[in-house]
Structures are given as structure tokens and as C-alpha cells.
Amino acid sequence: MNEFDFDACVVGAGAVGLACGYALAKRGLSVVVLEGERAIGQGVSSRNSEVVHGGLYYPTGSLKARLCVAGRRALYPFLDVHKVAYRKCGKLVVATSDAEIARIEAIAAQARANGVEGIVEISGADARAMEPGLNAVAAVVSPQSGVFDSHGYMLALQGEIEDAGGAVVTGTPFEAARPLEGGGFRIHAGGEAPTDMTVRLLVTAPGLSAQAVAACIEGFPAAEIPKLHYGKGVYFRLTGRAPFEHLIYPPPIPGALGTHYRKDLGGQAVFGPDLAYVEAEDYSVDPAKAAGFYEYVRHFWPGLPDGALSPDYAGIRPKLHGPGEPQPDFRIDGPQAHGLAGLIALFGIESPGLTSSLAIGEEVAKRLAAAS
Ligand SMILES: Cc1cc2nc3c(=O)[nH]c(=O)nc-3n(C[C@H](O)[C@H](O)[C@H](O)COP(=O)(O)OP(=O)(O)OC[C@H]3O[C@@H](n4cnc5c(N)ncnc54)[C@H](O)[C@@H]3O)c2cc1C
């Protein structure tokens, strides 16, 4: 029987890796979370919409459907306990033409099948009564949706891990793992103070580096590493008063939920993200995209003034599908997929990964406990 430096190592201190570390630490395991950057939460978790998703869209029985609803139900109480800011503002999924009505009705039906609470279908007149200025012929109301402070959330997760005796170590990139005879892994981490350690359990949650990290684990079958696609989305910010209180979402675009409206916690109106496949991590926002944003947003907000949008920020989704291909589920790969006992490798944790994070952590911890 091996003696280990830690029960568990989690690679990546984004929302998902920290939530995995929290779930494991809560169960009394000694946990180390390794983060390559100098601070936590600098990856996908800092370049998104910060929306708490209700769980409306995802196919029945999928991990996304189950973990988004469970994650959201766990998230609000967690934010309350840790005094992290959020606004449960609710969301309107809007049809702006008769042709879209069947699409939003299908979303309402899927939401109910997923167990999302409080879904109501309303007329265009009722939607305008809730949000004057909105163009809608019909809408679906999701009262459980909201916006939150994702950085405050990640700091609270870090605090919980440290309170339980675990460590979140920044500036320490995971570089290699080798399975040990009798179970567990020897891990090598780089950075300014390179270090080796042994751990019984290994969880990889490195966002856009999921494929690269899996390739550094000895014995991980190359055929089981899914291809990575970068799905970039950009945002534009409104100069002027935020026009709506609710989140406003048109029906989804192929491959993503698409450009929506939110009033962030600071009260500013933000539109985005679109979806464009790119070949490299590039977070620039092309001002020329504004024309497409004006046209798209005016479908649901005809009052958008000329000249009111400015380029804001961009995020990149760690996608497992290319353009035109069906959007796959999250992958939470255990030994059945890759053959390595004690290892869970996460792939394709795009939206709704932030909302689902606490439930992903629980799922990972339960699977590891069941296998031990
Ligand atoms: C444009 C956009 C909008 C989105 N909007 C929403 C939304 O509104 N609501 C929602 O629920 N979800 C949303 N998502 C999805 C959500 O942001 C992600 O699913 C989630 O943040 C993923 O978290 P993560 O911890 O897996 O990845 P990350 O946050 O990227 O964390 C991975 C971490 O691993 C680190 N790392 C990488 N390689 C190594 C290594 N070798 N060693 C150590 N550390 C390493 C990285 O530095 C990083 O900190 C959106 C995503 C995008 C791109």
C-alpha cells in the first residue's frame, strides 16, 4: 500500500477545478489544487457571461441538463452563505417573430422535462408589460436565472478548500503524471519551484488545456483525448442606461446560446457572446463586428441607439465539436474511458460549466469514492 503526499490533486483553479477540490476536501480528503497562472480563475471562468443558468435547453438525461439544474440549486445557497453577490433577475427567452414561437415553446417543454422550476409561457403583450421597450410576440419566463460574481464565488471555494486543510497553489503548472504500481500517481509540477508529489486521486480540470494535460499523463490513450475546438465569443457594452432588468435571450444559435442581453452586477448592459471558430487563443474584439450586433440586438430591442455599442471582452469555449456538428455533452471521463484507476479527466466544460460547477464537483467526488 502506498503512502501519499495528498489524497487528491486537482489540476486547474478555475470554477470547476475549485469546485472539485471543495467537494473532495468536504469529504475529509487532503487536497492540493495546482494552478499554472499566478492567480486563480484567470481562464475561461473569467471570460464569460456570469449567468446562473436555469437549465432550460439541454437534452433530457444529459450531464448538462442534470448538472446545470443541480449546480444552480446548490449555487444560490452557497452564494448566500459566503455573501457573494448575485441578482436572481430572471430571464425572458423571446420570440421576435411568429416563426420563432414553436422554438421557444420547445425550449419551455425541454425546461419542464429538465425539472426547471417556475417556467411560464407568456404573450408578447405580457412580455412588454414586464419589459417596456422589448420586441416580442411571445416569451418564456425562467425565474430561476440570474447573474453573479464569479470571482467572489471562486475565492469562496478557495477559502473552503483552505479551511478544510487543503492547498491551492498558484504559479505551479502540472507538467506530468505517472501511474504508480499499487495505485496513485507521481506528479511533476513546474514553475519557479518545481516539485514532485504522490497522490492517490487525480482530477484534471484545466479548461482549454484539457487535451494538453491529458497528453502529459503516462498511459492515457491518445485515442481517448477528444479534439479541441476554440469557440470564440465577443461582447459589446452599451453606453447608456441598461434597458431591461431581466436577462433577454433570443432562441439559441447553432452550437451556442448566442448573443443575449444582461445587466451586470454593476448595472451595465452587455450584449454577447457570438460564436466564431478560431485557431488560436486570441481575445481581441474586432470593432467591425458591431454592425452585426446592432442588427441582431434590434430584433428584440428596436430602440438600440446608433453609436451606443463599444467592443468589450472576449471568451473562448473549450468545444468538442466543430462548426455544424452536434453539440456534445460534458465529458467526465473515468477509468471506463481511459483505463487509469483514480483519474477523472474533464473535457469540453463549456457553458453551462460555471452554473454546473458545484454539481460537477459532487459528481467527480462521488465517482472517485465509488471506485475507491
Ligand atoms: C463566452 C463564454 C460565455 C460563458 N457564459 C457562461 C455563463 O453565463 N454561465 C455558465 O454557467 N457558463 C458559462 N460559460 C462556461 C463557463 O465559463 C465554463 O464552463 C467554466 O468557466 C469552465 O471552468 P473551468 O474551471 O473548467 O475552466 P477554467 O476557468 O479555464 O480553469 C482552468 C484552469 O486551469 C489552469 N490550467 C491550465 N493548464 C494547467 C496546467 N498544466 N497546470 C495547472 N493549471 C492549469 C488554467 O490556468 C485555468 O485557471 C461561458 C463560457 C464562455 C467561453
Side-chain angles (χ1 to χ4, degrees):
M1 190 72 182
N2 290 317
E3 286 281 325
F4 298 102
D5 297 322
F6 294 94
D7 292 321
C9 170
V10 179
V11 178
V16 175
L18 290 166
C20 291
Y22 169 52
L24 293 164
K26 245 185 6 183
R27 286 167 168 76
L29 273 63
S30 61
V31 173
V32 61
V33 181
L34 298 180
E35 169 53 51
E37 299 291 333
R38 292 197 169 274
I40 66 164
Q42 303 296 299
V44 188
S45 299
S46 68
R47 296 176 164 276
N48 55 65
S49 301
E50 295 192 300
V51 168
V52 182
H53 285 298
L56 282 62
Y57 306 90
Y58 314 105
T60 311
S62 63
L63 287 171
K64 285 184 181 174
R66 179 162 66 82
L67 299 178
C68 183
V69 171
R72 184 249 303 155
R73 286 180 186 153
L75 185 57
Y76 285 122
F78 182 94
L79 300 177
D80 278 334
V81 166
H82 295 86
K83 300 196 167 35
V84 176
Y86 69 86
R87 201 156 44 84
K88 206 188 222 178
C89 52
K91 150 162 136 177
L92 298 179
V93 183
V94 296
T96 59
S97 67
D98 288 346
E100 286 179 345
I101 291 178
R103 293 187 64 198
I104 68 164
E105 284 173 352
I107 292 167
Q110 185 65 66
R112 291 192 184 103
N114 292 352
V116 180
E117 306 85 341
I119 294 295
V120 184
E121 286 153 276
I122 60 171
S123 66
D126 286 345
R128 281 191 302 281
M130 290 169 76
E131 292 288 11
L134 187 67
N135 175 43
V137 294
V140 173
V141 186
S142 164
Q144 293 296 327
S145 307
V147 290
F148 78 119
D149 168 10
S150 59
H151 273 275
Y153 167 59
M154 288 187 277
L155 285 169
L157 287 170
Q158 176 179 8
E160 284 284 357
I161 294 167
E162 290 172 350
D163 260 8
V168 178
V169 191
T170 56
T172 309
F174 166 94
E175 289 183 351
R178 179 167 56 79
L180 297 168
E181 243 176 72
F185 299 86
R186 172 168 293 281
I187 286 173
H188 177 72
E192 279 169 17
T195 178
D196 278 21
M197 66 187 85
T198 59
V199 301
R200 185 164 63 83
L201 305 168
L202 177 59
V203 178
T204 60
L208 289 163
S209 300
Q211 284 76 356
V213 163
C216 296
I217 301 172
E218 215 177 284
F220 200 110
E224 298 305 325
I225 302 179
K227 187 171 163 39
L228 170 68
H229 299 268
Y230 290 133
K232 181 173 175 180
V234 304
Y235 294 82
F236 280 75
R237 190 161 284 262
L238 181 78
T239 308
R241 196 177 155 270
F244 308 115
E245 289 303 313
H246 294 78
L247 293 156
I248 309 289
Y249 278 63
I253 57 172
L257 293 185
T259 295
H260 54 262
Y261 161 88
R262 82 175 191 277
K263 178 173 161 181
D264 69 17
L265 287 177
Q268 277 225 285
V270 185
F271 299 93
D274 62 352
L275 171 61
Y277 282 88
V278 294
E279 293 303 318
E281 267 189 68
D282 159 23
Y283 294 102
S284 61
V285 181
D286 180 1
K289 284 202 159 200
F293 270 71
Y294 280 106
E295 192 195 333
Y296 191 85
V297 170
R298 281 176 177 150
H299 286 294
F300 62 85
W301 184 30
L304 169 61
D306 283 336
L309 295 181
S310 339
D312 201 354
Y313 64 100
I316 297 183
R317 306 163 178 93
K319 283 192 164 293
L320 300 182
H321 66 113
E325 293 171 3
Q327 199 172 358
D329 206 356
F330 292 149
R331 274 182 56 174
I332 301 179
D333 286 2
Q336 277 186 330
H338 49 63
L340 296 172
L343 170 67
I344 300 262
L346 304 180
F347 295 103
I349 311 296
E350 52 163 320
S351 189
L354 205 52
T355 309
S356 310
S357 50
L358 287 173
I360 294 174
E362 283 296 309
E363 179 79 15
V364 164
K366 278 185 202 148
R367 288 195 197 186
L368 287 171
S372 315

